[in-house]
Amino acid sequence: MSDHTTFRVGGPADAMVFPASIDDVKAVRALARREGLPLFVLGKGANILVADRGVRGLVVNLTSLAGWAHDHGFFRAQAGLEVSAAAEAGRVGGFSCLEFLNAMPSTVGGAVFMNARCYGAEIADVFAEATILDEYNEETVVPFRREEWDYKRSPFQNRDWIIVEVKFRTRPAEPAEVEAVMRSNADDRTAKGHFLLPCAGSVFKNNHAFGAPSGVIIDRVGLKGLRRGRAAVSGWHANIIVNEGGATATDLRELIVEVKERVAATTGFLLEEEVLFVGDWDAV
Ligand SMILES: Cc1cc2nc3c(=O)[nH]c(=O)nc-3n(C[C@H](O)[C@H](O)[C@H](O)COP(=O)(O)OP(=O)(O)OC[C@H]3O[C@@H](n4cnc5c(N)ncnc54)[C@H](O)[C@@H]3O)c2cc1C
């Protein structure tokens, strides 16, 4: 899994499947159910920390499902399309949609699942509907309902659903306008050190009740540069934990736990992880 996650850690999956169609996803899921195998849906692996022992059962890697179309004012994308490719489709096609996410490592499905956000915009701003495979493995359409979306919350979490296609609202835009947003956001990410070392973006969610972003709180507690093995709290953004080369998933997890404990002990604030722990972990 280390080849399929942005932390560049994680042991092997028992099997990884690259579906070529929505019917393939359906068939693999039906097979997993028949055989009693667990199934994990993977996008770009940019928000997960996979255990050193890896993942049991099937990993369905949706990056092979990356078709898209722009018609009647909507952008329809299969779940595995990268958000940067979606932004580029808008630039070339002259429409505004997902350019705010340009250069963020993510598939469309992962971004929708997480309600990804940056630079004052979030997926909920452009989401129209998703086609999912529901708990009965049937194709179902989930329309936008404002009350089901919130900070880092979407209706797809904690459900046995697979997002296979998403329809977004668009508006006409000059290619130069879309390109300016894409370039500015990509440059800002580079300047903030997002791509210096393997990481999964922000490790902890922000909580407005704490009065400052999690990164600022962690910095105030003096934890920038804190290390466990080859995992470190980055020196340039305290909410980004990096793999300095050769870190294990255990190093990363222990460092996350230590940061959380030391912030709680010093400030009383209980940070909540944004990164998801995936695979064969010991219970903590
Ligand atoms: C350098 C860097 C910068 C980042 N900056 C930001 C940022 O600015 N804003 C932000 O919000 N995030 C940011 N992130 C985190 C990450 O990019 C997002 O959370 C991203 O949307 C995750 O998408 P993914 O395809 O990688 O999902 P994955 O990490 O592969 O999966 C995440 C979760 O979504 C589920 N999932 C994925 N696809 C589907 C599907 N089709 N159906 C059902 N479930 C699915 C998975 O099972 C898993 O539970 C950053 C990460 C990195 C590495």
Side-chain angles (χ1 to χ4, degrees):
M1 290 294 288
S2 58
D3 286 341
H4 301 279
T5 62
T6 55
F7 262 136
R8 296 273 164 229
V9 301
D14 288 341
M16 185 176 286
V17 183
F18 293 84
S21 66
I22 293 172
D23 281 346
D24 277 2
V25 183
K26 240 184 186 177
V28 164
R29 199 170 184 220
L31 172 98
R33 287 181 169 189
R34 257 196 328 272
E35 300 295 325
L37 295 169
L39 181 150
F40 177 74
V41 179
L42 178 69
K44 283 298 280 182
N47 203 57
I48 58 175
L49 179 53
V50 176
D52 294 315
R53 287 196 296 260
V55 187
R56 303 291 69 82
L58 302 180
V59 171
V60 179
N61 187 324
L62 286 181
T63 56
S64 53
L65 211 60
W68 61 269
H70 180 233
D71 52 17
H72 299 93
F74 290 99
F75 180 66
R76 287 189 293 111
Q78 288 186 317
L81 182 71
E82 293 195 21
V83 292
S84 294
E88 176 64 8
R91 186 188 72 80
V92 173
F95 63 91
S96 167
C97 185
L98 291 177
E99 65 275 12
F100 68 101
L101 292 177
N102 186 46
M104 187 184 84
S106 179
T107 59
V108 161
V112 168
F113 182 91
M114 298 301 299
N115 189 18
R117 60 185 293 126
C118 56
Y119 305 109
E122 62 178 11
I123 284 285
D125 298 337
V126 287
F127 179 91
E129 64 181 40
T131 304
I132 60 157
L133 297 180
D134 66 13
E135 54 273 48
Y136 308 107
N137 211 18
E138 297 293 337
E139 278 185 46
T140 308
V141 172
V142 179
F144 180 66
R145 294 188 200 90
R146 181 67 254 183
E147 67 278 11
E148 293 178 338
W149 296 77
D150 205 341
Y151 171 74
K152 300 282 171 183
R153 188 167 69 83
S154 80
F156 306 98
Q157 296 164 3
N158 304 313
R159 289 208 150 108
D160 189 13
W161 290 355
I162 302 179
I163 303 161
V164 288
E165 193 175 295
V166 186
K167 191 169 157 186
F168 297 99
R169 287 181 286 106
T170 68
R171 65 169 175 79
E174 289 299 321
E177 180 199 335
V178 177
E179 187 175 349
V181 175
M182 287 172 67
R183 182 168 309 149
S184 145
N185 293 5
D187 287 352
D188 188 65
R189 286 179 184 277
T190 303
K192 287 186 174 148
H194 282 205
F195 311 119
L196 289 176
L197 285 171
C199 71
S202 296
V203 167
F204 297 103
K205 294 181 184 175
N206 290 323
N207 184 332
H208 287 301
F210 298 165
S214 297
V216 173
I217 295 171
I218 297 166
D219 194 13
R220 280 187 197 145
V221 176
L223 302 182
K224 262 188 187 163
L226 185 71
R227 285 190 165 69
R228 182 67 71 106
R230 298 291 295 160
V233 177
S234 85
W236 51 90
H237 190 315
N239 199 13
I240 294 183
I241 287 184
V242 294
N243 174 0
E244 293 189 307
T248 63
T250 305
D251 291 338
L252 287 157
R253 184 164 198 170
E254 286 178 359
L255 186 59
I256 291 169
V257 169
E258 183 173 351
V259 168
K260 196 171 164 175
E261 284 175 356
R262 287 178 63 172
V263 167
T266 311
T267 66
F269 298 146
L270 190 60
L271 298 177
E272 185 191 348
E273 290 89 348
E274 177 172 333
V275 164
L276 304 168
F277 298 96
V278 170
D280 197 357
W281 287 100
D282 290 332
V284 281

